């Protein structure tokens, strides 16, 4: 009973995402396009592409996530539903967690699903596929969580979309480093469980801290 | 009728919603200072004043959305910091933006805004605000006034004691205004507290809180 | 009445107290810092022995290391100031945080430039993805984010709070970023010459370094005090005590 506004928000946002599913395709298309630029810009040589494939896919995933972050709270801020959320008796961070989980479902999960396709296009060696998918599964939720902080801080700004990468990208670096090198370890035939363990630990930490920070950020942004 | 402190002070402790010594500054300009009030169930409070007098600022302070003020707020006699959960549990707020999603139907919108409401209740509330037949139309197809009516349907759906309505009559037609006014009066008569900003003159006596007259402490303030 | 007193404390008491305290402290920090810098720099540049591997080019550490060190701790100070501002609602704390941001970013730039100048004779190139330099670059990015927030949000109170949240998130992430960059570096570049990683540094080299580090901290304090005091005077310009200071011209 007490949680029903949370559930209602989840259902509402899922429905909105479904109605606007065309919009969700945009970051995904962006992801595909960025990745296809590299063979054109550098070389189509599979040997070389195989070396940088993991890096390209992960950098592409970071950028595509950034692109979709702007949507996280923006429309709720503009139409007043964010105020309604923050005025519920339940703590704001629960609503932020629902929004973040939804963002991951509509941004991170599709990226994870499409990534193997890009792996094929970029001649990713066979050993890299499993760690690529696993690192995306463990890494993209962290991207959504850290991103929710940036989205919360910039939600009231007209040019927030320009500012967000500046705030968030440096925070994405640990995820990028460990995720991309897990793929490299897989390609080299080495164990990558340590890398994934780091990604998991970082995710756990951010699961605790990020909603706190982003609900604080939202309250600041809304206190005009 | 302007609030005078002498009337409010004794009952402040027991009042449903009260404030003491509220002070708010915006862009180096003091909007109000030493503002005291005590409002109880059954009252309709109209916050009035010219543009920029701090009506919206006061409303955001009441809601707890703004932290840039000094002074104390009380709910049911206890400090707001303690009573926040109960206050919000009893609160229905309609602002300038009413939280209606364009890509959802009125019914779907109300299902999130009033999670406890049954489908039949939502339908009858929509009928009350004159949106019968629009239940399944996407809200982007509705006019601005109709979208606001969707939000106003909450007034028939939710059982909340405190209504805070910021310019509720905006974009509502004549019939709608009369009906909304009747609903507000009915709520107060049923023991609710209604706090609103509007330039519309209501048909009943309301408690007036006028902002923007002067910011210097007056004689009756004990300073 | 009580709330009026509390308001008085928040608005006036604290900045005035800070102003008067730093009035007394600033000269001390300035003179001690300058003396330490003078001794440290002269000692380091003229008297310390040349490095057996890098020759005289190592002497840039007397600027590079203090700048890098201070830039990192300045970020943490900024975050702590932000935390104090958010939790205890102390306005003065936000002023300190806002003051630190550009100074810290400047120090990071200084560390990167001196690192590049140092790198040229050592590695034969201006830039190498050395773990420390890379961490420094990311620290500069973090500073840039905080400064960008200050610039983007017009409402000062909002900007202060938003920047404080970002600085806090950044400071929690700094150790993680540092750890991952170091780990990444060992993965890709084993056994290159790292700039400052000297297990045993001769005392003649080390003591002047300590002196310049402390000197940098003192100068930093003076600068933060001065800018904070300016900001206080501006914010409190309508109060009696500021008017009194301004009219007598006694601003020390």
């Amino acid at each position: 009973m007490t949680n029903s506004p949370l559930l209602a928000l989840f259902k509402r946002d899922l429905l909105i995402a479904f109605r606007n599913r065309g919009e969700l395709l945009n970051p995904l298309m962006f992801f595909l396009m960025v990745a296809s630029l590299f063979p054109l810009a550098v070389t189509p040589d599979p040997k070389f592409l195989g070396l940088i494939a993991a890096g390209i896919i992960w950098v592409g995933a970071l950028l595509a996530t950034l692109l979709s972050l702007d949507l996280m709270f923006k429309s709720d801020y503009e139409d007043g539903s964010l105020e309604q959320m923050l005025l519920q008796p339940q703590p704001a961070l629960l609503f932020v967690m629902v929004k973040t989980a939804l963002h991951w479902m509509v941004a991170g999960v599709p990226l994870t699903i499409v990534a193997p396709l890009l792996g094929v296009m970029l001649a990713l060696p066979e050993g890299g596929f499993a760690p690529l998918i696993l690192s995306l599964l463990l890494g993209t939720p962290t991207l959504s969580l850290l991103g929710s902080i940036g989205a919360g801080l910039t939600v009231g700004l007209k040019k927030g979309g320009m500012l967000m990468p500046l705030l968030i990208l440096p925070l994405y670096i640990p995820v990028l480093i460990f995720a991309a090198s897990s793929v490299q370890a897989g390609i080299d035939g080495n164990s990558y469980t340590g890398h994934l363990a780091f990604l998991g630990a970082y995710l756990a930490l951010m699961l605790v801290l990020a909603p706190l920070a982003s609900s604080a950020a939202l309250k600041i942004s809304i206190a005009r | 009728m302007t609030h005078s402190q002498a009337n409010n002070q004794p009952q402040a402790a027991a009042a449903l919603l009260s404030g003491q010594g509220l002070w708010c500054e915006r862009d180096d300009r003091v909007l109000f200072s030493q503002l005291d009030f005590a409002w109880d169930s059954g009252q309709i409070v109209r916050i009035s004043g010219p543009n920029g007098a701090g009506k919206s600022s006061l409303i955001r302070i009441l809601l707890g959305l703004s932290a840039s003020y000094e002074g104390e707020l009380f709910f049911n006699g206890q400090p707001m910091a303690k009573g926040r959960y109960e206050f919000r549990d009893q609160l229905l707020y309609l602002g300038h933006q009413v939280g209606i999603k364009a890509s959802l139907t009125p019914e779907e919108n109300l299902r999130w805004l009033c999670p406890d409401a049954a489908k039949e209740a939502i339908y009858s509330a929509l009928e009350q605000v004159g949106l019968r037949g629009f239940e399944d139309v996407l809200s982007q197809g509705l006019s601005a006034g109709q979208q606001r009516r969707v939000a106003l349907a909450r007034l028939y759906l939710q059982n909340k004691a405190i209504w805070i309505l910021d310019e509720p009559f905006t974009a509502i037609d004549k019939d709608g205004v009369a009906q909304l006014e009747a609903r507000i009066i009915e709520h107060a008569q049923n023991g609710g507290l209604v706090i609103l900003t509007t330039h519309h003159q209501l048909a009943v006596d309301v408690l007036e809180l006028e902002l923007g007259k002067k910011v210097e402490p007056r004689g009756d303030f004990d300073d | 009445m009580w709330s009026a007193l509390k308001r008085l404390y928040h608005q006036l008491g604290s900045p005035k107290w800070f102003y008067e305290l730093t009035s007394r402290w600033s000269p001390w920090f300035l003179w001690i810092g300058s003396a330490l810098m003078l001794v440290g720099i002269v000692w380091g540049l003229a008297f310390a022995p040349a490095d057996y591997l890098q020759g005289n080019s190592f002497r840039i550490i007397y600027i590079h290391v203090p700048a890098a060190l201070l830039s990192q701790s300045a970020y943490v100070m900024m975050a702590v100031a932000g935390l104090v501002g958010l939790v205890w609602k102390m306005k003065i704390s936000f002023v300190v945080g806002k003051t630190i941001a550009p100074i810290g970013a400047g120090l990071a730039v200084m560390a990167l430039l001196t690192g590049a100048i140092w790198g040229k004779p050592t590695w034969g190139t201006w830039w190498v993805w050395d773990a420390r330099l890379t961490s420094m670059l990311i620290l500069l990015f973090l500073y840039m984010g905080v400064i960008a927030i200050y610039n983007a949000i017009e409402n000062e109170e909002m900007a202060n709070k938003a920047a404080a949240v970002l600085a806090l998130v950044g400071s929690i992430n700094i150790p993680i970023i540092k750890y991952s960059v170091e780990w990444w570096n060992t993965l890709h570049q084993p056994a290159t010459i790292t700039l400052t990683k000297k297990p045993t540094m001769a005392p003649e080299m080390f003591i002047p370094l300590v002196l310049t580090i402390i000197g940098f901290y003192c100068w930093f304090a003076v600068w933060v005090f001065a800018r904070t005091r300016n900001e206080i005077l501006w914010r409190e310009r309508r109060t009696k005590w500021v008017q009194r200071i301004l009219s007598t011209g006694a601003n020390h």
Side-chain angles (χ1 to χ4, degrees):
Chain A
M1 192 68 174
T2 49
N3 280 333
S4 63
L6 294 170
L7 191 64
L9 174 69
F10 186 78
K11 282 182 184 164
R12 181 201 78 161
D13 276 14
L14 213 56
L15 195 59
I16 293 172
F18 176 73
R19 295 257 160 86
N20 303 331
R21 51 196 175 277
E23 238 170 80
L24 301 179
L25 277 178
N26 295 346
L28 218 52
M29 289 296 130
F30 175 80
F31 184 44
L32 272 170
M33 282 178 201
V34 166
S36 2
L37 293 180
F38 282 87
L40 297 172
V42 191
T43 164
D45 177 14
K47 240 185 239 152
F48 182 77
L49 279 180
L51 276 177
I52 58 167
I56 295 173
I57 294 172
W58 256 99
V59 169
L62 292 196
L63 297 179
T65 304
L66 276 180
L67 205 65
S68 59
L69 276 175
D70 206 26
L71 304 171
M72 202 168 191
F73 301 120
K74 197 87 183 176
S75 67
D76 285 344
Y77 175 81
E78 280 162 359
D79 66 24
S81 6
L82 191 58
E83 278 173 358
Q84 297 293 341
M85 253 175 256
L86 296 181
L87 287 175
Q88 297 293 329
Q90 289 82 7
L93 80 98
L94 295 178
F95 290 94
V96 170
M97 285 171 108
V98 169
K99 297 289 291 185
T100 312
L102 248 140
H103 179 264
W104 178 66
M105 282 173 63
V106 300
V109 172
L111 290 179
T112 310
I113 293 170
V114 173
L117 177 69
L118 289 185
V120 174
M121 284 166 67
L122 295 172
L124 182 73
E126 213 165 287
F129 279 88
L132 177 67
I133 295 166
L134 290 172
S135 67
L136 278 164
L137 268 178
L138 281 171
T140 48
T142 312
L143 300 188
S144 295
L145 284 163
L146 284 168
S148 73
I149 303 171
L153 286 172
T154 57
V155 70
L157 303 173
K158 284 191 190 78
K159 290 172 192 156
M162 284 292 289
L163 188 60
M164 187 126 49
L166 222 57
L167 308 186
I168 293 307
L169 274 180
L171 303 176
Y172 279 178
I173 286 169
V175 177
L176 179 71
I177 287 177
F178 276 90
S181 50
S182 77
V183 182
Q184 197 53 50
I187 294 171
D188 297 341
N190 297 328
S191 160
Y192 47 81
T193 44
H195 308 73
L196 296 181
F198 174 90
L199 289 175
Y202 196 44
L203 171 59
L205 182 69
M206 285 307 136
L207 215 47
V208 177
L209 294 179
L212 275 173
S214 38
S215 60
L218 280 177
K219 282 177 195 161
I220 292 165
S221 291
I222 210 160
R224 282 167 284 170
Chain B
M1 186 185 104
T2 315
H3 257 247
S4 82
Q5 198 187 12
N7 290 343
N8 292 326
Q9 200 73 331
Q11 59 190 30
L16 188 57
L17 185 63
S18 61
Q20 276 177 18
L22 289 190
W23 174 93
C24 173
E25 185 189 64
R26 203 181 170 96
D27 302 327
D28 280 351
R29 198 166 55 88
V30 176
L31 292 176
F32 43 81
S33 69
Q34 289 299 334
L35 186 69
D36 296 286
F37 56 83
W39 299 325
D40 232 319
S41 34
Q43 288 182 324
I44 299 174
V45 181
R46 192 168 87 138
I47 302 171
S48 61
N51 293 335
K55 299 191 292 284
S56 290
S57 295
L58 179 57
I59 285 212
R60 300 186 75 78
I61 289 169
L62 291 177
L63 293 170
L65 291 179
S66 166
S68 52
Y69 70 97
E70 310 273 344
E72 297 290 332
L73 282 174
F74 299 90
F75 176 69
N76 267 337
Q78 56 180 339
M80 191 52 102
K82 276 191 194 146
R84 179 92 62 209
Y85 184 94
E86 288 156 58
F87 170 66
R88 291 196 165 164
D89 205 33
Q90 287 302 311
L91 172 72
L92 196 164
Y93 166 66
L94 290 182
H96 291 265
Q97 280 86 34
V98 286
I100 296 302
K101 289 282 172 196
S103 49
L104 298 180
T105 66
E107 191 215 328
E108 287 159 351
N109 268 306
L110 289 172
R111 223 187 280 149
W112 120 256
L113 288 165
C114 321
D116 297 332
K119 190 171 181 162
E120 298 74 37
I122 291 179
Y123 270 63
S124 78
L126 282 172
E127 188 167 0
Q128 294 273 6
V129 294
L131 287 175
R132 180 106 191 104
F134 289 95
E135 294 90 350
D136 296 327
V137 179
L138 291 187
S139 300
Q140 60 207 14
L142 301 178
S143 73
Q146 284 173 317
Q147 288 194 12
R148 284 194 72 89
R149 281 164 179 265
V150 176
L152 289 174
R154 292 175 63 194
L155 303 181
Y156 298 89
L157 265 174
Q158 283 178 301
N159 185 22
K160 307 270 183 184
I162 302 175
W163 291 1
I164 298 187
L165 314 173
D166 200 355
E167 302 290 349
F169 298 103
T170 309
I172 303 291
D173 59 26
K174 214 171 157 192
D175 291 347
V177 167
Q179 201 192 352
L180 174 57
E181 191 175 336
R183 179 72 188 120
I184 287 172
I185 293 165
E186 184 191 1
H187 183 66
Q189 281 166 351
N190 290 340
L193 168 64
V194 183
I195 301 158
L196 74 166
T197 65
T198 179
H199 296 289
H200 175 78
Q201 286 293 336
L202 274 80
V204 289
D205 269 348
V206 296
L207 214 55
E208 193 105 8
L209 177 66
E210 194 169 354
L211 295 176
K213 277 185 96 176
K214 30 171 142 176
V215 288
E216 294 85 15
R218 266 173 288 147
D220 54 342
F221 286 112
D222 135 65
D223 196 44
Chain C
M1 200 61 216
W2 172 238
S3 72
L5 269 177
K6 241 170 73 184
R7 197 169 81 211
L8 208 68
Y9 161 75
H10 277 304
Q11 279 186 281
L12 310 176
S14 184
K16 182 167 184 257
W17 171 80
F18 184 91
Y19 188 90
E20 283 167 354
L21 190 74
T22 52
S23 300
R24 271 177 275 134
W25 284 5
S26 282
W28 287 96
F29 277 100
L30 181 65
W31 290 114
I32 293 173
S34 303
L36 288 173
M37 285 300 288
L38 190 71
V39 174
I41 294 280
V42 171
W43 187 348
L45 294 190
F47 296 103
D51 187 76
Y52 73 100
L53 203 63
Q54 302 179 27
N56 278 324
S57 68
F58 94 96
R59 291 182 199 278
I60 204 165
I61 62 165
Y62 297 113
I63 307 283
H64 174 82
V65 172
L69 213 60
L70 185 51
S71 180
Q72 290 175 46
S73 40
Y75 196 95
V76 178
M77 289 184 222
M78 183 173 71
V80 170
L83 182 70
V84 171
L86 287 175
V87 175
W88 288 283
K89 301 188 168 45
M90 277 178 65
K91 287 176 183 171
I92 191 77
S93 191
F94 284 131
V95 179
V96 172
K98 190 181 180 180
T99 303
I100 292 177
I103 304 175
L107 285 165
V109 170
M110 194 194 271
L112 285 171
L113 286 180
T114 50
I117 294 167
W118 190 1
K120 185 66 181 161
T122 311
W123 296 314
T125 169
W126 295 106
W127 182 261
V128 163
W129 290 93
D130 161 78
R132 275 154 201 269
L133 284 181
T134 310
S135 289
M136 211 63 222
L137 184 66
I138 298 169
L139 183 67
L140 178 62
F141 291 161
L142 289 171
Y143 271 119
M144 288 307 178
V146 174
I147 293 170
I149 278 256
Y150 279 122
N151 291 337
I153 303 179
E154 272 169 40
N155 181 312
E156 197 183 345
E157 197 183 338
M158 261 178 72
N160 283 336
K161 287 182 179 171
V165 169
L166 187 67
L168 273 171
V169 172
S171 67
I172 289 165
N173 270 284
I174 280 178
I176 300 167
I177 292 173
K178 264 185 88 95
Y179 165 73
S180 34
V181 168
E182 265 158 37
W183 179 84
W184 156 84
N185 196 251
T186 54
L187 200 70
H188 292 278
Q189 285 180 307
T192 49
I193 310 168
T194 47
L195 286 182
T196 50
K197 212 175 178 181
K198 286 260 173 285
T200 50
M201 206 182 202
E204 309 90 281
M205 291 172 163
F206 190 65
I207 293 169
L209 182 60
V210 172
L211 294 184
T212 51
I213 289 172
I214 301 173
F216 257 73
Y217 271 83
C218 288
W219 275 3
F220 172 77
V222 173
W223 197 346
V224 171
F225 287 165
R227 289 196 50 167
T228 309
R229 286 150 56 84
N230 262 342
E231 187 89 18
I232 288 173
L233 286 185
W234 175 250
R235 285 171 170 228
E236 309 283 318
R237 62 192 179 278
R238 296 208 198 93
T239 61
K240 280 192 190 122
W241 69 273
V242 171
Q243 308 241 317
R244 206 161 48 232
I245 289 169
L246 294 181
S247 63
T248 56
N251 40 2
H252 278 293

